[in-house]
Amino acid sequence: MEGKPGLQTVYQAVQALYHDPDPSGKERASLWLGELQRSVYAWEIADQLLQIHQDVESCYFAAQTMKMKIQTSFYELPSDSHVSLRDSLLSHIQNLKDMSPVILTQLALAIADLALLMASWKGCVQTLVESYSNDATSLPFLLEILTVLPEEVHSRSLRIGANRRAEIIQDLAYYSSTVVSLLLSCAEKAGDNEKMLIKIFKCLGSWFNLGVLDSNFMANNRLLLLLFQVLQQDQTPTNLHEAASDCVCSALYAIENIENNLPLATQLFQGVLTLETAYHMAVAREDIDKVLNYCRIFTELCETFLEKIVTTPCRDLGDLRTLEFLLICAGHPQYEVVEISFNFWYRLGEHLYKTTDTVIHSIFKPFIQRLLHALARHCQLDSDHEGVPEETDDFGEFRLRVSDLVKDLIYLVGSMECFSQLYSTLKDGNPPWEVTEAVLFIMAAIAKSIDPENNPTLVEVLEGVVRLPESVHIAVRYTSIELVGEMSEVVDRNPQFLDPVLAYLMKGLCQPTLASPSAKAIQNICSVCRDHMALHFNGLLEIARSLDSFTLHPDAAVGLLKGTALVLARLPLEKISECLSELCSVQVNSLKKLLSQDPNNGLSSDPTLFLDRLAVIFRTFPQKDFGLFRHTNPIVENGQTHPCQKVIHEIWPVLSETMNKHRSDNRIVERCCRCLRFAVRCVGKGSASLLQPLVTQMVEVYHIHQHSCFLYLGSILVDEYGMEEGCQQGLLDMLQALCVPTFQLLEQQNGLRNHPDTVDDLFRLFTRFVQRCPIVLLRSQVVIHVLQWGVAATTLDHRDANCSVMKFLRDLIHTGVSNDHEENFDIRKDLIQQVLAQVGLQLVSQLIHACCFCLPPYTLPDVAEVFWEAMIFDRPTFCRWLESSLKSLPKEISGGAVTVTHKQLTDFHKQVTSAEECKQVCWALRDFTRLFR
């Protein structure tokens, strides 16, 4: 922003932001005001706007600006202006306390953030309480400041560092009794003042969350008594009830270390047990908000005392009335209530899984059984529901979560026992359709966990399901089809059922609403019963030929082709090529049709549907052992031609033309590259004749349209052909050709941040060179540019891109450490020595800076691996680089607080450089970077 704008201009922009009827006017005002907030003039302008307080909009903008500037640009202010800023903000909040609650909150946040940054403001809590606690009109903003102050201690917007944070927490703990006494005094004076009580409970909850309240002091405090009185009363207003519930949950969360907080833990435990009657009253009054609040409290109680519940059930704080409360909640007709407790049941299941004590398991088994029955009831559709179950609405997502929870807990009850009980409810009674459907849904969740060997009940269920009449409710058929898909292991053990099962699923496939689950079930059966399904391959091929005549979701159609390809891989080798050609021809012919149609005929020319189908077919035929599919590849003896090779060569011209036609469309080109990637993986070096035309087209299109998928496809080619000496120069030429437009793209303003996918795929390509032909890369002219971009990209806060950059750096240095290829080891080591001599210090400095100021904690293990490899390669040199990098770090934050001491720097240096394992480097990095967060 050039020059300081006038106040009138700012007012006009704020008015436009809130009141301009033209959206483009609002957009322009928002951009201009954002630029103003980032400028150094924002401090003075915001202060003036607050002083004049002309209207709510301008004051809100000014208060928000003050908060933002303190959080992000506090360094712009000289230290001698901090006191005057504090006094000015306190004056503003006092003058504007009646204007608007949102302005009050923004100013309170600004004051709280200033207190955390401003090391010279000692005892801020005491100062604030002494200044404003005796004035009733000032209490609302005082409580607001005291509420947000503990919340901001761990704010990610403020990088105050671990040293300052520890100092602040110690200070707040010292003054916590002052705050609690103030809150108690306010509560006694508040009477039935709902707004004041809400503020009091919110403030108390905030201090509980920070974990600085003295347990013994709070156990006997009248505030705790007041909290439970409010929650026990039937007439408590909804907002006050929610604030009290939040506060109790915060208190329970704060005492998870029960032994250290026993007095408070006992009081909270006894207090929550008194709320059962209040819960039932809320249910009777159909007050769902209060019911949800009580369930939150009961769940938090169980979470807090989980260890006691598992280790000392039925005794003291392990009293199982806590679980009874959750099961009472599970009986509520609204499924949202029981859903609150799911995380606790997961955790209980995990704890019980770790113990082999059958007595403990037997204690909890009845509770889990009751829970499962309640969940089955909650999964019932409405009796007047029409059509199939929805999986994407809120209730559909709830049912999926129930399915996951049942799978996690079923071991406690016994899969077969539960399955049999559920089946008996269908077999022995004549339940309504909605009960039948829900029972089948739960049975589908546990079917896979039952041993299918010699199991007559499973066989009986399967036989009964496939004989269901077509007259049953469509939702029952839908879920029964899902159950059949889950019972594919039973079909594999009992192949006499394969024909009736397939006939049942084919009926579903021909019905629009049942087609997709039927396709998924057929896919499951193809996957598990591959040998038996080989006899039915022609039928599968017929389905594949007429795929578009079924009403299938695209994913279901792809899954059906995947299942067909899995079965195809089990055919005799001589039949595979012919059958694969037939399987692919439907998709290839569709692509050809799209290529030949008139672009102006108004019809869709999107080929992605058919490209995805081809991709899944090739993906099922990997040349090597790739993850899930390693058991599906056809057995190819040495010297034999891969059965897919001929097919892939036949379809290459169509893929090439499709890619050329849609070269500007990233989505379609990405699908083409994906299809080619699996084709190349499928036949490996059998695709050699495609290498030159493919690379030529990739480079040609990439120079015009920088689709990052070409970089990824390039990495696949390097992985397949990089160790073939005859291909290495061509692959290097490809790399250099792809690098030119890529570097130009990344050199643009914010290029790295704006193109993380390009960074990710580019460094995957570099990494493949390092893994397959490192010397070729290290001797090339492009290697220094590659490393410089690697150094620059270390600060990029993008999970996948940063991971690829770090892997490249780690693998590059590792080539000078690892003696895998002995004949070239000395050459590799010398080349790594040369490149590190040029960029090593810069790399270490950038990594330290990135860890402290740019990267989230989850990236630190990757950085640690780079450091570890550099240390193994040349420990003395790395020690010097690290020492130099640490010296350049700032030692204080803008408010004057110490960020890192000399001892902390030397300790970190020693921990890293004396580490004997990579994980020790990672631990040291985690502790050290907390000083700057």
Side-chain angles (χ1 to χ4, degrees):
M1 180 167 281
E2 295 180 10
K4 176 186 165 188
L7 279 184
Q8 196 55 41
T9 309
V10 179
Y11 276 123
Q12 288 171 356
V14 172
Q15 287 300 305
L17 179 66
Y18 286 101
H19 303 294
D20 193 330
D22 179 12
S24 62
K26 285 181 181 286
E27 177 87 16
R28 286 193 299 274
S30 176
L31 291 171
W32 188 85
L33 289 169
E35 191 180 348
L36 170 62
Q37 285 183 319
R38 289 187 292 274
S39 74
V40 74
Y41 308 113
W43 295 101
E44 187 181 348
I45 287 171
D47 188 56
Q48 290 173 345
L49 291 174
L50 290 167
Q51 210 160 354
I52 297 168
H53 51 86
Q54 180 170 311
D55 52 41
V56 171
E57 287 96 342
S58 62
C59 285
Y60 178 73
F61 169 74
Q64 187 190 45
T65 300
M66 274 295 189
K67 179 202 73 176
M68 195 192 84
K69 294 298 286 184
I70 290 169
Q71 286 180 345
T72 62
S73 309
F74 193 55
Y75 61 87
E76 292 177 350
L77 295 179
S79 55
D80 58 6
S81 66
H82 295 170
V83 173
S84 61
L85 174 62
R86 177 194 67 188
D87 295 344
S88 176
L89 287 172
L90 290 171
S91 171
H92 291 322
I93 200 169
Q94 193 159 27
N95 295 333
L96 299 169
K97 60 179 179 277
D98 300 320
M99 195 171 205
S100 167
V102 291
I103 294 171
L104 198 72
T105 300
Q106 293 298 310
L107 286 172
L109 283 165
I111 293 164
D113 291 341
L114 180 63
L116 300 179
L117 287 165
M118 190 173 158
S120 59
W121 189 358
K122 304 290 185 185
C124 65
V125 171
Q126 186 74 19
T127 306
L128 292 167
V129 171
E130 287 175 355
S131 301
Y132 302 110
S133 60
N134 295 321
D135 176 12
T137 63
S138 299
L139 282 176
F141 78 74
L142 172 61
L143 292 183
E144 189 70 23
I145 296 171
L146 293 176
T147 300
V148 299
L149 182 61
E151 293 171 352
E152 289 295 284
V153 170
H154 293 289
S155 167
R156 292 186 177 183
S157 304
L158 290 175
R159 301 186 73 93
I160 57 176
N163 288 332
R164 174 63 178 158
R165 193 170 286 112
E167 182 186 338
I168 290 162
I169 290 172
Q170 187 177 4
D171 195 50
L172 295 182
Y174 181 78
Y175 290 111
S176 61
S177 58
T178 304
V179 173
V180 174
S181 300
L182 169 68
L183 295 177
L184 184 58
S185 170
C186 291
E188 289 168 348
K189 294 173 186 174
D192 295 329
N193 185 332
E194 180 189 347
K195 286 186 177 178
M196 180 54 74
L197 287 173
I198 288 173
K199 281 189 170 293
I200 291 164
F201 291 156
K202 282 186 174 180
C203 187
L204 181 60
S206 178
W207 285 73
F208 266 128
N209 283 332
L210 190 61
V212 294
L213 297 182
D214 180 80
S215 176
N216 293 322
F217 180 66
M218 288 308 303
N220 303 307
N221 195 281
R222 290 198 302 280
L223 277 176
L224 213 57
L225 190 63
L226 177 62
L227 269 176
F228 287 109
Q229 284 174 352
V230 165
L231 290 168
Q232 288 161 359
Q233 289 168 8
D234 183 35
Q235 301 301 322
T236 299
T238 301
N239 290 338
L240 178 57
H241 195 276
E242 183 177 7
S245 300
D246 289 343
C247 189
V248 170
C249 288
S250 296
L252 286 166
Y253 185 79
I255 56 146
E256 280 205 287
N257 190 334
I258 293 169
E259 299 304 329
N260 293 349
N261 299 282
L262 202 53
L264 179 58
T266 305
Q267 290 298 320
L268 287 169
F269 189 88
Q270 297 302 331
V272 174
L273 292 183
T274 66
L275 300 179
E276 183 181 359
T277 304
Y279 170 82
H280 288 302
M281 187 61 72
V283 173
R285 290 182 178 273
E286 296 185 1
D287 191 335
I288 187 62
D289 291 328
K290 287 184 180 177
V291 167
L292 291 169
N293 287 335
Y294 288 125
C295 189
R296 284 196 296 123
I297 293 171
F298 297 154
T299 302
E300 197 63 58
L301 179 76
C302 290
E303 295 259 18
T304 297
F305 292 95
L306 175 58
E307 200 70 43
K308 293 285 185 186
I309 290 170
V310 173
T311 54
T312 57
C314 311
R315 296 207 317 268
D316 304 327
L317 298 179
D319 191 331
L320 294 184
R321 278 183 292 171
T322 51
L323 296 191
E324 288 289 350
F325 280 7
L326 288 194
L327 290 174
I328 290 169
C329 292
H332 191 277
Q334 301 248 21
Y335 70 83
E336 293 90 348
V337 179
V338 69
E339 195 169 19
I340 290 171
S341 65
F342 277 14
N343 189 62
F344 166 74
W345 294 113
Y346 276 121
R347 288 187 61 206
L348 176 64
E350 285 177 354
H351 273 67
L352 293 175
Y353 189 74
K354 291 173 186 173
T355 175
T356 55
D357 190 333
T358 54
V359 175
I360 294 288
H361 281 203
S362 67
I363 291 172
F364 290 97
K365 181 176 177 178
F367 291 97
I368 302 300
Q369 284 175 324
R370 288 164 60 193
L371 174 68
L372 294 180
H373 284 295
L375 293 175
R377 282 197 307 276
H378 280 295
C379 285
Q380 290 176 19
L381 299 165
D382 293 333
S383 58
D384 58 354
H385 179 90
E386 295 180 359
V388 300
E390 281 289 336
E391 292 188 356
T392 54
D393 62 5
D394 289 343
F395 185 57
E397 290 181 2
F398 166 75
R399 285 179 27 130
L400 291 175
R401 288 195 67 196
V402 168
S403 178
D404 290 340
L405 182 60
V406 168
K407 288 170 185 173
D408 276 16
L409 295 177
I410 196 63
Y411 75 91
L412 285 164
V413 180
S415 305
M416 194 58 232
E417 182 182 337
C418 183
F419 194 86
S420 298
Q421 286 175 356
L422 289 166
Y423 178 51
S424 67
T425 64
L426 303 181
K427 183 182 175 184
D428 302 337
N430 186 25
W433 76 262
E434 66 273 16
V435 174
T436 300
E437 190 279 334
V439 168
L440 290 173
F441 178 78
I442 300 296
M443 289 171 72
I446 60 179
K448 277 189 177 174
S449 61
I450 302 170
D451 183 4
E453 202 69 52
N454 299 321
N455 197 317
T457 304
L458 288 178
V459 172
E460 190 179 337
V461 169
L462 185 63
E463 192 172 10
V465 166
V466 298
R467 287 181 178 172
L468 278 174
E470 291 188 35
S471 59
V472 298
H473 194 286
I474 191 76
V476 174
R477 287 190 64 199
Y478 183 97
T479 304
S480 70
I481 287 167
E482 291 189 324
L483 174 58
V484 170
E486 294 298 307
M487 296 180 73
S488 49
E489 293 273 2
V490 182
V491 179
D492 190 45
R493 300 296 199 288
N494 300 274
Q496 71 272 21
F497 285 111
L498 186 57
D499 285 348
V501 163
L502 290 175
Y504 182 68
L505 296 178
M506 276 306 300
K507 284 181 187 174
L509 195 63
C510 296
Q511 197 165 339
T513 52
L514 301 177
S516 290
S518 299
K520 186 178 177 185
I522 292 172
Q523 180 195 340
N524 285 351
I525 287 171
C526 288
S527 177
V528 174
C529 316
R530 290 187 301 278
D531 290 328
H532 299 308
M533 284 298 294
L535 299 173
H536 295 270
F537 179 75
N538 288 334
L540 291 172
L541 198 55
E542 282 303 315
I543 294 173
R545 286 193 184 111
S546 51
L547 207 54
D548 292 320
S549 66
F550 304 111
T551 312
L552 288 172
H553 186 278
D555 290 344
V558 165
L560 200 49
L561 283 174
K562 176 182 171 184
T564 304
L566 286 166
V567 175
L568 172 57
R570 287 302 175 95
L571 296 183
L573 201 58
E574 63 275 9
K575 287 189 177 181
I576 287 178
S577 185
E578 178 190 345
C579 294
L580 180 65
S581 183
E582 286 191 53
L583 188 59
C584 294
S585 64
V586 183
Q587 319 311 325
V588 174
N589 290 337
S590 297
L591 288 173
K592 286 178 178 176
K593 190 175 177 183
L594 289 177
L595 288 169
S596 62
Q597 75 181 21
D598 182 355
N600 301 316
N601 63 5
L603 299 174
S604 171
S605 61
D606 187 349
T608 55
L609 187 71
F610 310 109
L611 291 169
D612 286 348
R613 292 176 183 179
L614 279 175
V616 79
I617 294 169
F618 295 135
R619 189 176 189 177
T620 313
F621 283 90
Q623 175 209 17
K624 302 169 187 169
D625 290 346
F626 274 91
L628 292 170
F629 304 104
R630 60 176 176 269
H631 53 270
T632 67
N633 59 308
I635 300 164
V636 182
E637 302 291 340
N638 286 336
Q640 282 185 301
T641 302
H642 195 287
C644 305
Q645 186 171 320
K646 178 173 175 285
V647 180
I648 288 169
H649 281 77
E650 286 172 357
I651 69 168
W652 158 247
V654 181
L655 291 176
S656 174
E657 194 177 343
T658 301
M659 185 157 60
N660 213 38
K661 179 179 178 180
H662 300 279
R663 57 168 56 192
S664 62
D665 189 322
N666 181 66
R667 186 176 64 92
I668 295 176
V669 172
E670 192 275 329
R671 295 304 223 294
C672 286
C673 286
R674 185 169 175 270
C675 191
L676 286 163
R677 162 194 166 195
F678 291 125
V680 170
R681 287 294 197 203
C682 178
V683 297
K685 294 179 180 57
S687 62
S689 61
L690 301 182
L691 193 57
Q692 187 174 358
L694 174 57
V695 169
T696 302
Q697 186 170 3
M698 283 167 55
V699 171
E700 179 193 334
V701 177
Y702 191 76
H703 271 265
I704 305 165
H705 305 286
Q706 284 79 51
H707 304 305
S708 71
C709 53
F710 284 125
L711 301 173
Y712 189 90
L713 184 55
S715 72
I716 301 298
L717 297 177
V718 174
D719 193 38
E720 290 292 339
Y721 294 98
M723 296 180 76
E724 300 290 317
E725 284 190 28
C727 299
Q728 288 175 350
Q729 185 57 48
L731 291 171
L732 181 63
D733 292 342
M734 174 193 75
L735 175 71
Q736 291 173 328
L738 293 173
C739 279
V740 173
T742 305
F743 292 164
Q744 289 171 353
L745 183 71
L746 299 180
E747 281 166 0
Q748 297 172 4
Q749 187 174 7
N750 296 324
L752 289 167
R753 194 183 315 153
N754 293 339
H755 303 283
D757 291 343
T758 298
V759 175
D760 181 15
D761 292 332
L762 179 68
F763 281 92
R764 283 176 185 269
L765 174 56
F766 294 154
T767 302
R768 290 300 191 191
F769 263 96
V770 168
Q771 293 168 343
R772 294 289 176 249
C773 45
I775 292 175
V776 173
L777 177 66
L778 289 166
R779 283 178 168 165
S780 70
Q781 296 178 340
V782 78
V783 67
I784 288 301
H785 300 291
V786 168
L787 278 164
Q788 286 169 343
W789 278 112
V791 172
T794 55
T795 59
L796 185 59
D797 179 9
H798 182 279
R799 185 184 289 268
D800 293 337
N802 193 274
C803 182
S804 291
V805 172
M806 295 302 171
K807 179 162 178 55
F808 162 70
L809 293 169
R810 181 256 174 213
D811 285 5
L812 182 76
I813 301 170
H814 184 71
T815 59
V817 175
S818 169
N819 200 0
D820 297 338
H821 310 288
E822 293 192 16
E823 69 278 7
N824 291 325
F825 177 64
D826 290 337
I827 299 172
R828 293 201 318 271
K829 188 172 182 179
D830 289 345
L831 290 168
I832 294 295
Q833 187 88 52
Q834 291 169 30
V835 296
L836 285 181
Q838 296 180 65
V839 299
L841 175 59
Q842 184 189 359
L843 172 62
V844 174
S845 295
Q846 186 83 329
L847 284 171
I848 287 291
H849 175 84
C851 290
C852 293
F853 303 110
C854 306
L855 300 179
Y858 66 75
T859 61
L860 297 182
D862 295 335
V863 177
E865 287 196 1
V866 178
F867 281 170
W868 177 250
E869 293 296 336
M871 254 201 311
I872 294 175
F873 184 76
D874 187 346
R875 193 176 290 258
T877 305
F878 175 80
C879 292
R880 291 195 298 274
W881 289 341
L882 183 60
E883 182 182 358
S884 174
S885 304
L886 294 175
K887 284 178 180 177
S888 66
L889 289 172
K891 309 302 185 288
E892 290 184 357
I893 57 173
S894 304
V898 173
T899 307
V900 58
T901 64
H902 178 73
K903 183 178 185 304
Q904 286 169 328
L905 287 170
T906 54
D907 285 350
F908 171 67
H909 187 276
K910 184 178 179 182
Q911 286 165 0
V912 172
T913 55
S914 62
E916 295 179 359
E917 293 180 276
C918 183
K919 62 183 177 183
Q920 292 173 322
V921 177
C922 184
W923 295 338
L925 264 176
R926 283 191 197 282
D927 291 341
F928 183 71
T929 53
R930 288 193 186 107
L931 300 172
F932 298 87
R933 294 189 192 281

